[in-house]
Structure formats: structure tokens, C-alpha cells
Amino acid sequence: MSPKRRTAKTAAARPTEVVPAYRWIRFLKQQDARGVALPATLLFSLLVRWCVALHGYSGFQDPPMHGDYEAQRHWMEITAHLPASEWYFYDLQYWGLDYPPLTAFQSWLCGRVASWIDPTWVALDSSRGIETHESKLFMRASVVALEFIVYVPAVVLLLGARQMGSASSWTTRQVALLTVLLQPCLLLVDHGHFQYNSVMLGFLVWALYFAAQQRYVLMAISFSCALLFKQMALYYAPAVFAFLLAKCFQRQHGLALFVKLGLAVAGTFGVALLPWIRSPDQLYQILVRVFPVARGLYEDKVANIWCALNVAVKLRDMFGVRTLLRMATAATSLAFLPSCIHLFISTRRLGAGTADSGSLRLLCYALLNTSLAFFLFSFQVHEKSILLPLAPALLLAIDEHWAVSWFVQTALFSMYPLLFRDGLQLPYCVLAVGWSLLRSCPACPSDKRTPRLVVLLQWLSTLAMVAIHAMHALVPPPSSLPDIYVVANVLLSCAMFAFFFVYFNYRQFTLLHSMHAQAKVKTA
């Protein structure tokens, strides 16, 4: 091979230096300042979170119900003052508790700390709708603190594992960490809109970390904690079950591992449900509150298949809730089963130890595909649910450079109607542009690893998003079609998510083949 061809091939294979994230990390490496990279990433991500927190939130100055911010504060109020037997029964018309027990315990802990600092922030009943500067500072700080306690350490440890990418250089892993921690969708939902999704996602990442360490009982416990924090973690359950079941079949003493996993899950749920475990009525109430089937097929205008179909076919007028639930369950199962079956078969065939890199990456693809199937087809989906497929997608950023960048861009666009209602237009725009610059989306010079067709399609989708935003800002919708721009958002986003669903499934099914091909090239 000639020197020119060798140089060109090397330049195309390595990450392009025009991407700001890579340029920053490579600069630190060249200056022999590797020790600065992690603290700088953590401090900068902390700064961005606080900047987002300076803006509005769900229900700001919007009585009488306010929004998700007030719901989270109200749960601190009732858990700090009432016995556990009343948590899921108290005044259900005003933000009744409808999340699993670990969220209730987190609310209790935050409520006790708030009561110790200033009892008026969580005074029973009389504190409803409180929006003092000090109480808001505490609420915002609680989100940041829990994220840096649960989510951030798990991400740092997992991305430090060499099993997470085909290219596992220090530079690549540091860029991946920067990418995950500056993902705009989670920043805007947790630190803008206001929620604690990072805790649930943190438990998921801990489960993946334990999987990388081949500590499967701890993996099962961590994932159980994710389920017990937010019921949306069920989006991941089929993939996790398939992976752990395959590990049981893979090992010589698989039955013993199966029993240990079952005891670990049962024990975790038993401890979490301990305050209510003696009362069937209490357990039934928790179940009803956590799974509110009566709310309907979807909420607001969410970019999934059912909401997109509703533009032409009014399914909610044609069928009852039970029928729609069966339809959604069947469609969701058909969508995620191929990915889970492939994960089970492939993981079972892979040997332990050296092949764990392949099984862990397969798991990440399956988590992505399963959760995206739930988002597109399942019952009772919210705009914020797109955070679930985003989490494993970002962990694949090393292997899926352009796809992850584009996927995050689309997910951010799909949440705009929700963020617009919260008055978060400014941080939305700043983070959208910032993400494009950070990850080399169409606004940046083209990454040499990105196919030209992808760059063209990415440009077209970006221009469509900008056009919808411009029309929404400058042209009032016709009175007969007041939601036309929101519907346009749903249709474009849903089409893009369907494309990513097909693409990521293809990537999962061809992963092992591509790994074998790369291994042959290295040994040649």
C-alpha cells in the first residue's frame, strides 16, 4: 500500500479533528493533562445543568394544579408527614402519588431534608403551590445531587470499561463521557421541566456496569431498583430478561444462577414493598396508581405510531380502552420480540470472558430496540418516554457516531411542544445548537466517517425541523387547525423514529458479523 493511501485510510478511520469534543480531549492529551479531562467534564456538565435550571419548569405560576414540579414537591410533603399506609391514598385529586415505592422513599428523604432546612417548603396542605426562591433552589439542587450520586458515577465507570466500544482508546472514551453527560434531552427534562429520570437511568447504567463485570446478581438488583423507581423501566425488561436467561443457559451451573437471580429480584421487591406487604388492599392500590390504564392510549401529542395514525384514523373513537390496550400490547410484543430473541440466542452462543464485549454491546442494542419499540407501539406513552431509548443509544456513541447524533437531535425536536409549554425555548435552542456543534451534526464540517447520503438526509431533516419551528414562531395557525405545527412535529419525528428503529435493529443483527470481520482484518 502506498504512503498516500495508507495516510488517507488512517485519517478516515480515526475520529475527525473538526469535531469540537474530540479537539478538546485531544488537546488535553497533547498537553499531557489527562488528569484534567474528567474533572473538567464533570464541572462543565454541572454548570450546564445549573444554567438550564435558571429557566422555567412545568406548571410555573400556573395554579391551581401547577405541573410536574409541584407534583414532585407535593410527594415530598405527603411522605414527610404521613405514614406509608396513606401515601398512595391521600387526596388523589391533587397529584396523588403514582410512582413506585423507591420514588416514594426518595420523596421522603428529600422531604425530611427540606423540613429540616425550612418546614414551610413541605408543610402538609398549606405549602401547595409554594414557589419561593429558596424552595426552588432546594428542589433544583436535589435533582443535581441525586444525579451526581446515582447516574454520573455509573456512567463514568461503565464508559471506562473496554467492553463498551470497538475503539476503546482513552480519547474516544472521554468523548463518549462528555457526550452522555451533555445529552440535551435529559438536561431539559430533569433540570428544566423538572423530574428525577436520571435516578432511574442511573440504576440501568449500574446494571450494565455489573453486567460488564459479570456480576449478574448485582445486575438484577440494580435493574429491579430501576423498576421500583419508575415503572417506565419496564421498557427495558424484555431485553434484560433475555440477557440474564441466556447467561443462565451459557454457564455450567446455570440453574444455580437462575435461582440466585430470582431470589435477588424477589428480595429487592420484598424490601421495597415492606411497609405495605401485609395488606393486599395497599398492594392493589399501589398497582392501580402505578399503572393508570384509564388515562388512555397516549398523552398529549407524542411522536409514536398511535398518535401519528390518529391524524387519519381516530382509533380512540373506534375502540374502547380494553381493545386499544390489547392492540398496543400485541403490536409492542411483535416489535420487540425479534431483538430479544436474537439477544438470547447470540448471548448464549458467545463464550464467557473475552466475548463479553460482544454480549454487552448486544445488550445495549437490544435495550435500545426494545425501549424504542415500547415508545412507538405501547399503551400510555408520554413525550418524555423517549429518554429511555436515548440512554442505551448514547452508550453506543463510540460505535454509532452519526446515528446517535441524529437520533438525539430528532428526540430533542420531538419534545419541543412539551418544552414550549414550560417556557424553555431559550435553553432548547442553545442546547440544540450546542449538541450539533459538539457532535458534528449538519451545522458543523462533515465528519469523514459519516456517509454522504446520511449527511444529505440529516440536512434535509434538520431543515424540515427549522422550517416547522420558523412557521410556529412567525405564522399563526389557522383557527380550524390550531395544532397543525404540533401535528407536523409528531409526523416528522415519528417517521424518523421508525427509521431509527429499523436501522438499530439491523445494526444489532449484524453486530457479531462485523466484529468477526474486524477481527479477521486485525489478524491479517
Side-chain angles (χ1 to χ4, degrees), residues 1 4-19 22 26 165-169 171-172 397-402 446-451 518 521-522:
M1 184 183 293
K4 288 185 178 180
R5 289 184 178 180
R6 187 181 300 112
T7 303
K9 185 175 181 180
T10 304
R14 72 189 181 210
T16 176
E17 296 184 7
V18 302
V19 184
Y22 278 103
R26 289 171 69 86
S166 56
S168 55
S169 68
T171 301
T172 305
I398 294 175
D399 294 323
E400 299 287 354
H401 180 78
W402 65 263
S446 176
D447 189 330
K448 294 177 182 178
R449 294 186 298 170
T450 305
Q518 290 174 6
V521 171
K522 289 180 179 179

Side-chain angles (χ1 to χ4, degrees), residues 24-25 27-40 170:
W24 164 244
I25 299 300
F27 169 77
L28 293 179
K29 183 178 179 180
Q30 291 168 357
Q31 299 300 315
D32 197 22
R34 293 191 180 195
V36 176
L38 179 59
W170 176 85

Side-chain angles (χ1 to χ4, degrees), residues 49-82:
R49 282 157 172 76
W50 273 115
C51 289
V52 174
L54 294 174
H55 295 82
Y57 50 80
S58 174
F60 175 59
Q61 295 182 349
D62 187 21
M65 294 298 292
H66 300 277
D68 278 0
Y69 173 92
E70 171 61 12
Q72 300 287 344
R73 191 214 58 80
H74 179 63
W75 296 343
M76 297 179 191
E77 169 191 337
I78 61 176
T79 54
H81 291 90
L82 299 174

